[in-house]
Every structure is written in structure tokens, then in C-alpha cells.
Amino acid sequence: VSAERIPGGFVDAAILERVRIGREYVAAKYGFRNHWYPALFSAEIAEEQVVPVQLLGERILLKRVDGQVYGIRDRCLHRGVQLSRKIECFTKNTITCWYHGFTYRVQDGMLCNIVGAPQSAVIGKKRIRTYPVQEAKGLVFVFVGDDLNPLPPLAEDVPPDFLAPGLAVRGVRSDVNANWRVGCENGFDSTHIFIHRDAELIRNNDLALPLGLVPKGRSSFQSVEEPGAPKGVFDLFDPDHVTPVFEGAIDQQTVLTGNPEAANKLPHHISIWLPGVLRVHPWPDPTLTQYEWYVPIDGERHIYLRTLGKLVAGAEEEQQFEREFEARWRPLALEGFNLDDIWAREATEDFYRDDTGWLREQLFEADGNIIEWRRLASRHNRGIQLPEHLR
Ligand code: FES
Ligand SMILES: [Fe+2]
């Protein structure tokens, strides 16, 4: 990795020097720049509402005006305070700084007025940073990066079928005290299902979830890297590619057993995509697919935004899915089952926090797909995010 791609100071240069695989990935503690990230759900930001978010270490204010969500940097040009400390909006199209009244137009970030000093020469001359925002499937996506022209399409930063017409999406989000990569690797890890063995979801939906899914070799996962399309790594969970383990023994003594006879043999494949979104298909039911993002908040936290998608024929089916989602899948899957994942990530974070974990870890055969993900992300990311003091 060239020095200009990763200026030092936030990941120890001596550590990076010793990383053999996926060096850019290891350097991307704050995430990959110039990608689209979901910040929240569309329903969480009403007309004229202002919502502060933090993505990849950048503080951003979102405001919805006439249906459209706009993003500006949450830092006043004047004295650098966070506008979100006290949100003041006197007109629909603007946000005013609570301190001295600098007023910014949300559409283009222009300093269009200073409420207490209307004759100032800087009015109309300075602009606060803006962020492209796009809504899709009930999610608000923000492009965190530079003024790229053309802007990469959202379709390249989501799993290939996520934007399909007819796919209804519902989900939840929470903040997790772990780096975003710890999130990605927990989701994509094919033997971590060990932690889920007692989940209520398994009994409730008669799932044949093994204690581990052991890949038979390199052919059990495949990289997808066509130009102009999403970049990701696919795991194949069919009997040709993996061995499901349902009986756990220590010294020939059986200690745990799964239920291979259960009706729902899921999932069939899991894939992970840049900039850090997992697709589990089908899951947690034969008619559903789980899509989940691990969005960097900063170097030590991520937004775990998880959704279920279902192909529906119309509004009525979508409403039926919504009822089922609220009554069953939200509590059992996204909030029940996935709490195990949150717990595991927060428990993993200690080891990787100072970046020495990337050198001290001892991965084994089953982690080959994770290595492949690190390589692919290093090859295809659009830039490494730096912490604020280096940007
Ligand atoms: S710090 Fe915002 S107007 Fe002065
Ligand atoms: Fe999991």
C-alpha cells in the first residue's frame, strides 16, 4: 500500500508493515471512503425533521425538505461548533447555528444569512460541506466521500438483488461497540453459528442449524468482481461445498447435538459485499432474505442495521409481511437471534482495538472466506477513510 493511500498516525505503521493479506482493509479502521452507507430508516426522519448521524467518523445533519432528505456537515464554519448541540430551524430550507446565527441552506450548504448580522460580506460566499443522500427500500443512504463525478451508483454498493422491484424491506438498527470489520467478519464467519445453538428462533421456525458449517476447500467460496457491479464474496452452503456438523464431541464423548431432521434447512448461501453488507439467503424462513449492514460510526463502533426482504406481489402482501415482521421476525430473528451476534462482536473488539489483533489472531481452515473478503475489499474499495484530525 502506498504511503499516500494510507498516511500513518491512526493505524500503527509497524503493524501495517507486518500485515500480509488485506493491508488496505486493516488500514480502513474508519471504513472505506466514497461508498454509500445506510444511516437510518426513512420512517425515522419526518418532513422538516433534522436528525444528526455519525458515519465513518463524520458528523452529518440530515433534514427532510419537501420529501427529499439532504445532508450537511454538522460543524459550523464560524467557530466549528456542532449545529446539532441545539437544532434551530427558522425556515424550511435552512438550518441556523445556535451560537451566532450563521444560517445554511440545506440543499447546497450555502451560508445564505447571518441572523444577527445580515450585512456580512461572507454571506453567499461560503459553503458548508454537503453529502449526497438517496432513499431506497425505506432506508436513507448517505454517500460519504469526495465530490466524485460521476457519483458511483447506489446499485454498486448494495447486494445485487436488494433493489429488485417487488422486494419489501423491514428492519431495525442499533449501535454496537465494536469496529465495523468485527461486525462483517462475525456475520460472514461460517463456524460462528455455534453461538446461536440455543436461539429461540431455531425451535420456533424448525430450523436445521448445524453447530458449524465447515468448508471443504477453496471452492466453497467465490469472489464476484465484475466491473460496474457490486463486489463481494459468496459462500456456498450445499453438501458439495460444506460439511454441516450436527454432533459435537470432546474425547469421543458427545457433548452437543443439533437437529439435522428439522424442516427448514437454511441458509443456502451467505455473501458479503462492499462496503460492508451481508446477505443471508434464505433466512430466517424459506421466503425471506436477510440483508445487514455494519456501518462505521467511528473506529470503535458501528451501526448494525439489519433488514429482512420479501418478494411481494402488491400492497396487500406487503402489509401482511409487515404484520408478520412485527409479530414474529423482529423479536425472534433481528432482536433475538442477532443479539448473540452483537454480544460476540463486543466481546471480540478488545482484541482488535489497538490493531495488534490482526497480527495475533490464529485463523483456521474454516476462515478462508474471511481472508478472501479482506483481499477483495482491499482490491476494490474506493478509498480509505481517515479520522478527522488527518482529513
Ligand atoms: S459558531 Fe456558529 S455562528 Fe458562530
Ligand atoms: Fe450470527
Side-chain angles (χ1 to χ4, degrees), residues 186-187 192-193 195-196 292 304 337-338 340-341 345:
N186 156 249
H192 93 279
I193 48 178
I195 63 171
H196 293 302
E292 57 178 43
Y304 180 28
F337 192 86
N338 289 133
D340 295 337
D341 295 304
R345 288 176 218 166

Side-chain angles (χ1 to χ4, degrees), residues 37-217:
Y37 293 90
L40 44 110
F41 292 95
S42 296
E44 295 180 277
I45 178 166
E47 179 65 18
E48 291 196 37
Q49 192 179 350
V50 177
V51 180
V53 296
Q54 189 176 345
L55 306 174
L56 288 74
E58 303 198 20
R59 293 180 196 277
I60 301 168
L61 274 185
L62 301 175
K63 183 174 185 181
R64 190 187 291 281
V65 178
D66 295 332
Q68 167 82 42
V69 178
Y70 298 93
I72 65 169
R73 189 173 195 183
D74 183 13
R75 191 170 86 180
C76 185
L77 292 173
H78 180 214
R79 311 271 290 185
V81 301
Q82 273 177 253
L83 304 169
S84 61
R85 279 299 177 99
K86 181 167 180 259
I87 289 163
E88 298 213 279
C89 288
F90 297 104
T91 69
K92 188 169 80 173
N93 292 314
T94 63
I95 296 175
T96 295
C97 180
W98 49 268
Y99 207 166
H100 315 92
F102 276 45
T103 298
Y104 304 98
R105 201 158 51 214
V106 295
Q107 287 85 351
D108 59 4
M110 181 60 78
L111 172 64
C112 59
N113 216 302
I114 300 175
V115 181
Q119 307 303 329
S120 166
V122 297
I123 293 171
K125 301 224 176 62
K126 301 266 183 211
R127 221 184 268 267
I128 205 166
R129 248 210 92 179
T130 58
Y131 293 80
V133 178
Q134 194 177 327
E135 286 179 85
K137 300 293 179 190
L139 272 61
V140 179
F141 289 88
V142 179
F143 186 80
V144 183
D146 310 305
D147 298 329
L148 296 191
N149 194 8
L151 196 58
L154 174 61
E156 270 183 48
D157 280 349
V158 296
D161 61 340
F162 182 72
L163 300 176
L167 187 81
V169 173
R170 294 294 182 278
V172 300
R173 70 180 173 100
S174 33
D175 292 353
V176 177
N177 290 314
N179 184 267
W180 70 277
R181 295 163 300 184
V182 170
C184 290
E185 297 188 357
N186 156 249
F188 195 44
D189 176 340
S190 61
T191 47
H192 93 279
I193 48 178
F194 187 65
I195 63 171
H196 293 302
R197 63 183 184 269
D198 295 322
E200 173 60 21
L201 174 69
I202 296 176
R203 282 179 296 277
N204 179 288
N205 206 30
D206 206 13
L207 292 172
L209 194 73
L211 298 169
L213 282 162
V214 182
K216 292 187 172 169

